[in-house]
Amino acid sequence: MRTIGLSGAEWLAVLRIGLGLWWLESWRHKNKKDWFERGTGIGWAVGVAAKHRWAFVRGGFDAVVTPRPKAMAYVVVYAELALGLGLTLGFLTPIALIGAMVLNLLYFLLMIHDWAEQGQNSMMVLISMVGLFGMSWQTWSLDEAWGLFL
């Protein structure tokens, strides 16, 4: 494979690190006090889910998220932090990439009516897939340094 500037494995690492930084920014810009004390993030999502065009999304959200808003706020916020750190540092990278795909697919389904969200989440899923199948943890990662997932 011919590339410009870096090797193919290094470009995959750049992609993985960029995705990790995207998740870290998603975590960083959340107002944690509002999310944890006032439930603003989950409250907003409850409103979106209540008007969702697909019954299975409404039902799933009502069954899993609505009864436990405080716990789900912590799950969402700390999942984004864990994904960001795991991908940026290359720690437990395959697990982080699969987790990123799952979370982005959930966000994609919830926000199916919003074109901007569809674009962001579909691109993040694509990057996660390329990172996973390209084994992006082989370069510039803690996984590589510690001999994990070789």
Side-chain angles (χ1 to χ4, degrees), residues 59-119:
F61 201 92
D62 287 344
V64 176
V65 179
T66 303
R68 44 191 82 74
K70 193 161 190 101
M72 294 311 295
Y74 280 93
V75 167
V76 168
V77 169
Y78 287 112
E80 290 183 358
L81 175 61
L83 292 172
L85 290 172
L87 294 170
T88 302
L89 300 174
F91 180 63
L92 301 176
T93 311
I95 296 164
L97 288 165
I98 291 168
M101 278 189 270
V102 169
L103 194 53
N104 279 125
L105 287 170
L106 289 171
Y107 289 174
F108 182 88
L109 281 174
L110 179 62
M111 298 301 297
I112 198 69
H113 66 281
D114 185 322
W115 288 26
E117 285 288 329
Q118 288 176 349

Side-chain angles (χ1 to χ4, degrees), residues 6-19:
L6 301 173
S7 71
E10 289 168 337
W11 279 119
L12 284 171
V14 168
L15 193 63
R16 181 201 80 231
I17 292 165
L19 180 62

Side-chain angles (χ1 to χ4, degrees), residues 25-149:
E25 177 55 22
S26 182
W27 171 80
R28 186 198 65 80
H29 83 263
K30 282 183 173 47
N31 183 328
K32 278 68 158 188
K33 184 175 182 175
D34 283 350
W35 269 73
F36 298 147
E37 292 178 13
R38 293 193 281 278
T40 55
I42 298 301
W44 169 82
V46 166
V48 172
K51 298 179 220 151
H52 205 282
R53 66 176 99 174
W54 295 335
F56 81 92
V57 173
R58 288 190 308 271
F61 201 92
D62 287 344
V64 176
V65 179
T66 303
R68 44 191 82 74
K70 193 161 190 101
M72 294 311 295
Y74 280 93
V75 167
V76 168
V77 169
Y78 287 112
E80 290 183 358
L81 175 61
L83 292 172
L85 290 172
L87 294 170
T88 302
L89 300 174
F91 180 63
L92 301 176
T93 311
I95 296 164
L97 288 165
I98 291 168
M101 278 189 270
V102 169
L103 194 53
N104 279 125
L105 287 170
L106 289 171
Y107 289 174
F108 182 88
L109 281 174
L110 179 62
M111 298 301 297
I112 198 69
H113 66 281
D114 185 322
W115 288 26
E117 285 288 329
Q118 288 176 349
Q120 172 178 306
N121 288 297
S122 61
M123 288 301 99
M124 290 176 83
V125 168
L126 177 62
I127 294 167
S128 297
M129 288 176 60
V130 169
L132 182 65
F133 296 124
M135 299 174 63
S136 63
W137 54 90
Q138 294 179 83
T139 302
W140 302 340
S141 73
L142 293 175
D143 292 338
E144 184 237 348
W146 296 338
L148 301 175
F149 309 108

